[in-house]
Amino acid sequence: DIQMTQSPSSLSASVGDRITITCRASQSISTYLNWYQLKPGKAPQLLIYETSSLQSDVPSRFSGSGSGTDFTLTISSLQPEDFATYYCQQGFSSPLTFGGGTKVEIK
Amino acid sequence: QVQLQESGPGLVKPSQTLSLTCTVSGGSISSGGYFWTWIRQHPGKGLEWIGYIYYSGSTYYSPSLKSRVTISVDTSKNHLSLKLSSVTAADTAVYYCARGIRGHYGMDVWGQGTTVTVSS
């Protein structure tokens, strides 16, 4: 199985901050890396697919980059609605696996 | 647009079989290019992939759950099902169904999730 490691596990930031979340795969996954946002009581939302493609209706302040084993999700200017937990997921091979999550909290 | 809604018992007794249904609306479960998947989240923990199925019926399950899991599709009812046998307290979780896209294997449509508690 491909292990996905996210860092940090949590972070505190202010509205307007630029933040970056890192995801590392235990082996190369090319660009088959997806990012999700989870909020309590709501359906999870796909933000970025295949490393850097923005899912429809997702604000352009979200961006992704990377390849091989190292990937990042960046929020260029944090908005109040962005305080949530973010997960990466590899789609390179089954079993599909997720990172441990990064909780973004208000400073 | 496509929407998913999970349903099923919120409480299951240990050793019994957990059975959930995911109803697909706004689109056909037989549409090509997609797979249908179940994912769970234990209390306070991260996401765990359970398995997926193509509309053709081909399945792939998580190795850690493979011996207890069955995922099926009913195209006449436009829904998919999850059965997890011999449950224990460790199966207490929020269960999500989702639609995945063949190619990058990301999940673009999710249900809101249903909480299942395993307890006597």
Side-chain angles (χ1 to χ4, degrees):
Chain A
D1 300 3
I2 298 175
Q3 309 303 315
M4 305 301 294
T5 304
Q6 266 182 258
S7 62
S9 56
S10 66
L11 66 88
S12 295
S14 300
V15 173
D17 284 354
R18 178 186 180 92
I19 67 164
T20 297
I21 298 168
T22 297
C23 182
R24 174 165 288 177
S26 60
Q27 65 184 75
S28 177
I29 57 170
S30 183
T31 58
Y32 293 101
L33 191 283
N34 308 303
W35 290 98
Y36 302 88
Q37 179 190 70
L38 268 72
K39 295 181 179 179
K42 296 189 70 175
Q45 182 183 12
L46 174 66
L47 300 174
I48 303 278
Y49 63 92
E50 275 189 282
T51 296
S52 59
S53 295
L54 199 65
Q55 178 67 359
S56 59
D57 297 332
V58 173
S60 59
R61 62 181 179 273
F62 291 90
S63 64
S65 65
S67 69
T69 60
D70 294 312
F71 302 86
T72 58
L73 171 71
T74 298
I75 307 176
S76 60
S77 178
L78 205 60
Q79 298 302 300
E81 60 268 30
D82 300 337
F83 292 96
T85 303
Y86 295 85
Y87 290 88
C88 62
Q89 172 248 324
Q90 64 83 13
F92 180 78
S93 67
S94 297
L96 306 181
T97 46
F98 292 89
T102 297
K103 186 172 184 178
V104 177
E105 299 174 303
I106 301 173
K107 181 183 285 186
Chain B
Q1 74 260 19
V2 174
Q3 293 183 309
L4 307 180
Q5 180 65 58
E6 305 90 347
S7 60
L11 181 64
V12 181
K13 288 182 166 49
S15 80
Q16 292 190 341
T17 296
L18 179 162
S19 295
L20 297 176
T21 296
C22 175
T23 300
V24 180
S25 59
S28 172
I29 204 167
S30 301
S31 297
Y34 301 109
F35 62 92
W36 304 89
T37 188
W38 288 95
I39 292 155
R40 68 182 182 180
Q41 184 175 29
H42 294 102
K45 302 295 185 181
L47 298 171
E48 179 187 16
W49 176 73
I50 297 171
Y52 63 69
I53 187 168
Y54 298 115
Y55 79 91
S56 63
S58 298
T59 55
Y60 194 101
Y61 301 132
S62 168
S64 65
L65 297 170
K66 185 176 182 179
S67 63
R68 299 193 292 131
V69 173
T70 302
I71 296 175
S72 59
V73 167
D74 186 329
T75 55
S76 66
K77 295 181 179 178
N78 216 37
H79 74 208
L80 71 154
S81 299
L82 169 70
K83 292 188 185 301
L84 182 64
S85 64
S86 305
V87 297
T88 70
D91 295 308
T92 293
V94 176
Y95 287 76
Y96 296 99
C97 60
R99 184 182 78 172
I101 298 179
R102 299 181 73 164
H104 60 69
Y105 282 81
M107 280 68 79
D108 69 332
V109 182
W110 294 64
Q112 289 210 309
T114 187
T115 299
V116 178
T117 302
V118 179
S119 175
S120 55

